[in-house]
Amino acid sequence: MDSPNQAGPGRSWAKRLGTLGAVAVLALLSGCTKEQISTGFFPAESKGATNHTEAYTSLWNGAWIALLIVGLIVWGLILWAMIAYRRRKNDRGLPVQLRYSMPIEILFTVTPVILVLGFFFQSVQVMDKTTDDTTPGEQVIEVAAKQWAWDFNYVNQDVYFAGTQVHLDGSEKPGEKAPTLYLPVDTDLEIRLRSRDVIHSFWVPAFLEKRDMIPGHDQSLHLRAEKEGEYVGKCAELCGEYHSEMLFNVKVVSKAEFDDYTKSLADDGNTGQLGPEYDRNWYPKEGAEK
């Protein structure tokens, strides 16, 4: 068994271990830019992209920082125990056996409960601001997913854009020929999502939001795009052979440019809406004309 004079070396090892851990963390963080840390390593263009991105980023940053601190403490204690209480050359027999330690067991029970409750309430608050946002949309846009492209109905203007499949050429972006969703900046948007055939998923990484699109189960996304720019969107649900080519562009533009774009659709004859009659399993209601 350890002699009393071995406590000193144990504490010395603990100090060395703590110093080594601190140096490792600083070295790791020194390789990251201030912007990467502030955005939680999310896409740089997500910062200020919508009225929801700040809430998502704050929740994520708070979560990984809290868990990193807990992890460092736990890993440090494990390594310290391995070194301070290791079996030494002159030890004989088994070490002193302890059945339980009530303070430690309470600590190991209460701490996870506090963490889980904290994450739960923070998540609920963020969901109330984001996924449960039902702010009426000044501009309503219907997005219809289909194998393997996208249709966009601009409901207020009664015009549409019919998308065709992208053919990748090895570049990172889908290209100018890809379906492009135009959004007016600083406008409350209601984006209605539906699928024409199989399960798809609407995902714009810069917006930090994703919604599954299940046939027969329409849903909507309410948000406000707060800065002009171009983003890439994609289907995030495996939906068949050309799933990887189910891409689209997103352009957040001024209201004047948005009006010009929707007017150009009308001038091209794209008036009306692309409705459910283009769905794969659509059939007319009884009594309706076929």
Side-chain angles (χ1 to χ4, degrees):
M1 292 184 292
D2 294 345
S3 59
N5 61 1
Q6 290 174 328
R11 285 194 293 269
S12 176
W13 270 104
K15 290 180 180 178
R16 295 177 187 175
L17 195 60
T19 302
L20 182 62
V23 171
V25 171
L26 290 175
L28 178 64
L29 294 178
S30 65
C32 306
T33 65
K34 183 178 180 181
E35 185 177 14
Q36 286 177 320
I37 295 175
S38 65
T39 59
F41 302 95
F42 285 139
E45 61 268 22
S46 67
K47 189 172 184 179
T50 75
N51 60 325
H52 294 166
T53 53
E54 183 178 353
Y56 287 128
T57 302
S58 297
L59 176 65
W60 169 246
N61 279 341
W64 74 259
I65 290 173
L67 294 177
L68 179 61
I69 292 172
V70 172
L72 290 174
I73 293 173
V74 173
W75 299 328
L77 289 174
I78 291 173
L79 293 174
W80 172 76
M82 291 169 59
I83 295 171
Y85 297 102
R86 69 190 185 279
R87 187 177 183 87
R88 290 171 170 80
K89 183 169 59 176
N90 296 325
D91 289 344
R92 297 291 183 271
L94 295 174
V96 176
Q97 302 297 297
L98 300 176
R99 289 182 296 174
Y100 60 86
S101 172
M102 188 60 69
I104 292 179
E105 292 189 11
I106 292 175
L107 176 67
F108 285 173
T109 301
V110 172
T111 301
V113 170
I114 292 175
L115 287 172
V116 170
L117 289 176
F119 289 143
F120 173 77
F121 286 113
Q122 289 294 323
S123 298
V124 169
Q125 290 181 350
V126 171
M127 290 178 66
D128 286 341
K129 298 177 182 177
T130 56
T131 56
D132 293 337
D133 186 353
T134 56
T135 304
E138 299 175 49
Q139 175 65 48
V140 179
I141 301 172
E142 183 180 81
V143 177
K146 59 187 180 182
Q147 290 180 313
W148 289 273
W150 306 83
D151 294 334
F152 306 127
N153 287 324
Y154 298 91
V155 178
N156 300 46
Q157 293 76 17
D158 196 33
V159 294
Y160 68 86
F161 175 88
T164 56
Q165 183 179 336
V166 174
H167 296 287
L168 296 177
D169 58 4
S171 61
E172 294 183 1
K173 296 185 178 181
E176 291 298 324
K177 293 183 179 180
T180 299
L181 174 63
Y182 278 76
L183 302 176
V185 72
D186 292 329
T187 302
D188 289 327
L189 302 171
E190 179 183 346
I191 303 176
R192 299 173 182 172
L193 305 171
R194 57 188 306 273
S195 172
R196 295 197 185 281
D197 37 45
V198 299
I199 298 177
H200 298 285
S201 187
F202 178 87
W203 184 33
V204 181
F207 290 177
L208 305 184
E209 298 199 55
K210 180 174 73 69
R211 294 288 189 279
D212 287 342
M213 306 168 75
I214 302 173
H217 297 274
D218 300 348
Q219 61 171 317
S220 60
L221 175 63
H222 296 255
L223 55 81
R224 172 185 285 262
E226 296 191 331
K227 69 176 182 180
E228 296 183 26
E230 297 186 15
Y231 310 98
V232 175
K234 60 184 70 178
C235 175
E237 185 74 30
L238 183 61
C239 58
E241 183 178 4
Y242 295 103
H243 162 70
S244 62
E245 296 186 340
M246 194 168 170
L247 307 172
F248 62 97
N249 295 312
V250 178
K251 289 188 177 181
V252 179
V253 298
S254 66
K255 294 181 181 180
E257 186 175 347
F258 178 79
D259 291 338
D260 290 341
Y261 172 71
T262 54
K263 185 177 182 300
S264 71
L265 291 177
D267 293 340
D268 291 339
N270 295 342
T271 56
Q273 304 286 277
L274 297 176
E277 64 273 15
Y278 293 98
D279 293 359
R280 176 176 298 173
N281 295 322
W282 180 84
Y283 58 91
K285 294 181 179 179
E286 186 176 352
E289 293 185 6
K290 296 186 179 180

